[in-house]
Amino acid sequence: MTHVNNSLALIFRNQQKFKDALTLMKKNLAIQLKYDEKRGLSNSYMNIGNIYYYEKKYLKAIEYDLKAQKIFREIGDNPSADILDLNIACFYFESGNLKLAEKYSDLCFNSSNILTKKLNTELILRLELKKFEISNKTKQDKLLLLNKAISCLKN
């Protein structure tokens, strides 16, 4: 049942029928809570966060991703938990909170997940370029920010 709901919810999400997608995902969440199935529960929280992200409700997306991440860590699935650091960093970036975006991006450096590290490089570049764009800094300071972004691309 939950697999069918997931598939339908993805279709609804892609059609921007977010309310329908959330209804299905919250049904899945209720099932996972009833049976205390940790992996399914963490996936349900993550999927709900994903729908909120597409809906541009970034703080709600973060709320659900943090719940998913906590469970992933509890069950020892650190690669999945690490990728959520990257998701959360992106959500904060999209919401304009560059300080928290950078904080969660920095957590990705400690990840053993190669994909997380690779995708984080793009986010770091976006963060540095955004800081450059909005900064009141001198040309010298702006060059330092650009050099930091460029060095991330080399790694």
Side-chain angles (χ1 to χ4, degrees):
M1 178 72 161
T2 57
H3 295 296
V4 172
N5 284 350
N6 281 340
S7 298
L8 289 172
L10 286 174
I11 292 168
F12 285 138
R13 183 203 69 194
N14 291 340
Q15 295 174 341
Q16 296 186 345
K17 296 179 180 178
F18 301 119
K19 185 177 179 181
D20 295 330
L22 282 170
T23 297
L24 289 171
M25 290 313 305
K26 288 185 177 183
K27 284 182 183 179
N28 281 359
L29 182 62
I31 292 168
Q32 304 301 343
L33 284 167
K34 180 178 178 179
Y35 294 103
D36 196 32
E37 206 288 299
K38 298 290 186 189
R39 178 156 306 279
L41 188 58
S42 57
N43 285 327
S44 290
Y45 282 132
M46 185 174 61
N47 289 336
I48 291 169
N50 184 273
I51 293 166
Y52 280 122
Y53 169 76
Y54 276 86
E55 203 173 6
K56 298 185 186 320
K57 293 182 177 179
Y58 302 118
L59 295 179
K60 290 296 281 183
I62 291 166
E63 175 187 334
Y64 279 89
D65 273 8
L66 286 171
K67 289 177 183 183
Q69 187 179 53
K70 181 180 180 202
I71 296 168
F72 279 132
R73 294 254 188 252
E74 286 172 4
I75 63 175
D77 187 351
N78 289 320
S80 294
D82 290 348
I83 201 80
L84 286 174
D85 280 330
L86 182 61
N87 285 1
I88 293 166
C90 289
F91 299 164
Y92 277 124
F93 180 84
E94 294 296 333
S95 73
N97 190 332
L98 301 183
K99 187 173 183 176
L100 284 174
E102 191 166 23
K103 173 189 171 190
Y104 277 90
S105 173
D106 287 347
L107 293 174
C108 296
F109 280 118
N110 300 324
S111 175
S112 61
N113 186 330
I114 301 298
L115 178 63
T116 299
K117 287 182 177 182
K118 183 177 180 183
L119 294 173
N120 190 41
T121 301
E122 177 191 336
L123 177 62
I124 291 168
L125 180 59
R126 290 172 59 206
L127 275 166
E128 296 306 323
L129 290 174
K130 188 67 170 179
K131 284 193 253 178
F132 176 81
E133 178 186 310
I134 64 175
S135 73
N136 294 330
K137 297 183 179 197
T138 66
K139 286 183 182 180
Q140 179 78 18
D141 289 336
K142 286 183 176 184
L143 284 174
L144 289 172
L145 287 173
L146 282 177
N147 283 331
K148 182 178 177 184
I150 290 167
S151 72
C152 290
L153 290 176
K154 292 178 182 176
N155 293 335

